[in-house]
């Protein structure tokens, strides 16, 4: 039996999974897409909590499938759709065009961050 205990979370019709690797945003997105999914993108509190469960298990911040659009300070899903759910940390986002990616803290809140840092890869399928 494959030991993926806690590394996979199911919410609704989504499955979130992590390979435990920490890479930059582009590499994380690429590895998720190669596996047939995309970067974990919380669309509601339940999904955010499922991703948080994996973040807490590894005790590592993770990139989310959200990026800053052409407008500074305006974030969108990586498919270009507008955000319909957010969980920004207090005073975030504050990067104003310099921090185009979004990470999840170990308390489940979000922070805008540069895309070249190494963060946990969590994919959704």
């Amino acid at each position: 039996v494959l030991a993926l205990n806690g590394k996979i979370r199911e919410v609704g019709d989504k499955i979130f999974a992590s390979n435990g690797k920490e890479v930059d945003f582009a590499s994380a997105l690429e590895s998720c897409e190669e596996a047939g999914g995309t970067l974990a993108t919380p669309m509601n509190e339940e999904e955010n909590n499922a991703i948080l469960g994996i973040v807490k298990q590894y005790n590592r911040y993770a990139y989310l499938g959200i990026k800053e659009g052409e407008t500074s300070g305006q974030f969108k899903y990586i498919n270009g759709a507008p955000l319909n759910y957010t969980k920004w940390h207090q005073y975030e986002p504050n990067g104003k065009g310099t921090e185009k990616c979004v990470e999840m803290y170990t308390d489940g809140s979000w922070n805008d961050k540069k895309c070249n840092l190494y963060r946990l890869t969590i994919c959704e399928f």
Side-chain angles (χ1 to χ4, degrees):
V1 178
L2 211 54
L4 287 164
N5 198 13
K7 296 178 181 65
I8 289 186
R9 302 285 165 113
E10 288 187 58
V11 177
D13 55 2
K14 277 190 188 179
I15 296 172
F16 297 106
S18 177
N19 58 8
K21 294 199 170 103
E22 290 185 76
V23 293
D24 63 29
F25 180 86
S27 303
L29 180 58
E30 190 180 350
S31 62
C32 288
E33 287 178 344
E34 278 173 6
T38 188
L39 264 178
T41 309
M43 302 228 160
N44 55 47
E45 190 73 18
E46 197 184 5
E47 292 181 6
N48 204 75
N49 287 338
I51 297 165
L52 174 59
I54 298 174
V55 165
K56 279 186 166 159
Q57 189 188 6
Y58 287 99
N59 198 27
R60 296 278 181 272
Y61 295 172
Y63 278 128
L64 297 175
I66 298 168
K67 281 196 89 171
E68 192 169 40
E70 298 75 60
T71 313
S72 178
Q74 185 189 32
F75 286 79
K76 299 175 178 175
Y77 294 118
I78 38 180
N79 66 7
L83 296 183
N84 60 1
Y85 164 84
T86 59
K87 191 151 182 139
W88 294 110
H89 197 75
Q90 193 174 11
Y91 309 124
E92 301 294 343
N94 63 5
K96 297 181 185 63
T98 62
E99 299 179 330
K100 295 198 168 289
C101 288
V102 178
E103 65 182 357
M104 181 185 283
Y105 285 154
T106 47
D107 66 356
S109 65
W110 306 354
N111 172 43
D112 55 333
K113 205 71 187 164
K114 288 189 173 6
C115 301
N116 61 349
L117 298 160
Y118 280 49
R119 293 291 178 265
L120 184 63
T121 303
I122 302 177
C123 305
E124 72 172 45
F125 303 96

